[in-house]
Coordinates of all heavy atoms in Angstrom, one line a residue:
D249 N 94.2 96.6 93.2 CA 95.1 97.1 92.2 C 95.0 96.3 90.9 O 94.5 95.2 90.9 CB 96.5 96.9 92.8 CG 97.5 98.1 92.4 OD1 97.2 98.6 91.3 OD2 98.4 98.4 93.1
T250 N 95.5 96.9 89.9 CA 95.5 96.2 88.5 C 96.9 96.4 87.9 O 97.4 97.5 87.9 CB 94.4 96.9 87.6 OG1 93.1 96.6 88.2 CG2 94.5 96.3 86.2
K251 N 97.3 95.3 87.3 CA 98.6 95.3 86.6 C 98.2 95.2 85.1 O 97.6 94.3 84.7 CB 99.5 94.2 87.0 CG 100.9 94.3 86.3 CD 101.7 95.5 86.8 CE 103.0 95.6 86.2 NZ 103.7 96.8 86.6
L252 N 98.7 96.2 84.3 CA 98.4 96.2 82.9 C 99.6 95.6 82.2 O 100.8 95.9 82.5 CB 98.2 97.7 82.4 CG 97.1 98.5 83.1 CD1 97.2 100.0 82.7 CD2 95.8 97.9 82.8
D275 N 95.4 92.2 84.9 CA 95.0 91.3 86.0 C 94.9 92.1 87.3 O 95.6 93.1 87.5 CB 95.9 90.1 86.1 CG 95.2 88.8 86.2 OD1 94.1 88.7 86.7 OD2 95.7 87.8 85.6
F276 N 94.0 91.6 88.2 CA 94.0 92.2 89.5 C 95.2 91.6 90.3 O 95.5 90.4 90.2 CB 92.7 91.8 90.3 CG 91.5 92.3 89.7 CD1 90.4 91.5 89.4 CD2 91.4 93.7 89.4 CE1 89.2 92.0 88.9 CE2 90.2 94.2 88.8 CZ 89.1 93.4 88.6
V277 N 95.9 92.5 91.0 CA 97.0 92.2 91.9 C 96.9 92.8 93.2 O 96.1 93.7 93.4 CB 98.4 92.6 91.2 CG1 98.6 91.8 89.9 CG2 98.4 94.1 91.0
S278 N 97.7 92.3 94.2 CA 97.7 92.8 95.5 C 98.0 94.3 95.5 O 98.9 94.8 94.8 CB 98.7 92.1 96.4 OG 98.5 92.4 97.8
A279 N 97.3 95.1 96.3 CA 97.5 96.6 96.3 C 98.9 96.9 96.5 O 99.6 96.4 97.5 CB 96.6 97.2 97.4
G280 N 99.4 97.8 95.7 CA 100.8 98.2 95.7 C 101.7 97.6 94.7 O 102.8 98.0 94.5
R281 N 101.2 96.5 94.1 CA 102.0 95.8 93.1 C 101.5 96.0 91.7 O 102.0 95.4 90.7 CB 101.9 94.3 93.4 CG 102.6 93.9 94.7 CD 102.6 92.4 94.9 NE 103.4 91.9 96.0 CZ 104.7 91.6 95.9 NH1 105.3 91.5 94.8 NH2 105.3 91.2 97.0
G282 N 100.6 96.9 91.5 CA 100.0 97.2 90.2 C 100.3 98.6 89.7 O 101.3 99.2 90.1
D283 N 99.4 99.2 88.9 CA 99.6 100.5 88.3 C 98.8 101.6 88.8 O 98.8 102.7 88.3 CB 99.4 100.3 86.8 CG 100.4 99.4 86.1 OD1 101.6 99.5 86.3 OD2 99.9 98.4 85.4
V284 N 98.0 101.3 89.8 CA 97.1 102.4 90.4 C 98.0 103.5 91.1 O 99.0 103.1 91.8 CB 96.2 101.8 91.5 CG1 95.5 103.0 92.2 CG2 95.1 100.9 90.8
W286 N 98.5 105.3 93.7 CA 98.0 105.4 95.1 C 98.2 106.7 95.8 O 97.3 107.3 96.4 CB 98.5 104.2 95.9 CG 97.9 102.9 95.5 CD1 98.6 101.9 94.9 CD2 96.6 102.5 95.5 NE1 97.8 100.8 94.6 CE2 96.5 101.2 95.0 CE3 95.4 103.1 96.0 CZ2 95.3 100.4 94.9 CZ3 94.2 102.3 95.9 CH2 94.2 101.0 95.3
W306 N 91.1 92.5 98.8 CA 92.3 91.8 98.3 C 91.9 90.8 97.3 O 91.0 89.9 97.5 CB 92.9 91.1 99.5 CG 94.3 90.6 99.1 CD1 95.4 91.3 99.1 CD2 94.6 89.4 98.5 NE1 96.5 90.6 98.5 CE2 96.0 89.4 98.1 CE3 93.8 88.2 98.2 CZ2 96.6 88.3 97.5 CZ3 94.5 87.1 97.6 CH2 95.8 87.2 97.3
D308 N 94.2 88.6 94.2 CA 95.4 88.4 93.4 C 95.5 86.9 93.1 O 95.8 86.1 94.0 CB 96.6 88.9 94.1 CG 97.9 88.9 93.2 OD1 98.0 87.9 92.4 OD2 98.8 89.7 93.4
M311 N 98.9 85.0 94.2 CA 99.5 85.2 95.5 C 98.6 84.6 96.6 O 97.3 84.7 96.5 CB 99.7 86.7 95.8 CG 100.3 87.0 97.2 SD 100.4 88.8 97.5 CE 101.5 89.3 96.2
H315 N 99.3 85.9 102.8 CA 100.5 86.8 102.7 C 100.0 88.1 102.1 O 100.5 89.2 102.6 CB 101.5 86.1 101.7 CG 102.6 87.1 101.3 ND1 103.7 87.2 102.0 CD2 102.7 87.9 100.2 CE1 104.5 88.1 101.5 NE2 103.9 88.5 100.3
G316 N 99.1 88.1 101.2 CA 98.7 89.4 100.5 C 98.0 90.4 101.3 O 98.2 91.6 101.2
E319 N 100.2 92.4 103.6 CA 101.1 93.2 102.7 C 100.5 94.4 102.1 O 101.0 95.5 102.1 CB 101.7 92.3 101.6 CG 102.7 93.0 100.7 CD 102.9 92.3 99.4 OE1 102.1 92.4 98.5 OE2 103.9 91.6 99.3
A320 N 99.2 94.2 101.6 CA 98.5 95.3 101.0 C 98.2 96.4 102.0 O 98.3 97.6 101.7 CB 97.1 94.7 100.5
A323 N 101.4 98.3 102.4 CA 101.7 99.0 101.1 C 100.9 100.3 101.0 O 101.4 101.4 100.7 CB 101.5 98.1 99.9
L324 N 99.6 100.2 101.3 CA 98.7 101.4 101.1 C 99.0 102.4 102.2 O 99.0 103.6 101.9 CB 97.2 100.9 101.3 CG 96.7 100.1 100.1 CD1 95.3 99.5 100.4 CD2 96.7 100.9 98.8
F327 N 101.4 105.2 101.4 CA 101.0 106.3 100.5 C 99.9 107.2 101.1 O 99.6 108.3 100.6 CB 100.4 105.7 99.2 CG 101.4 104.9 98.4 CD1 101.2 103.6 98.2 CD2 102.5 105.6 97.8 CE1 102.1 102.8 97.5 CE2 103.4 104.8 97.1 CZ 103.2 103.5 96.9

Side-chain angles (χ1 to χ4, degrees):
D249 216 331
T250 296
K251 187 65 180 176
L252 304 171
D275 229 324
F276 295 130
V277 294
S278 190
R281 291 182 175 268
D283 296 311
V284 172
W286 291 113
W306 192 86
D308 189 326
M311 182 185 293
H315 171 85
E319 179 197 83
L324 290 171
F327 298 115

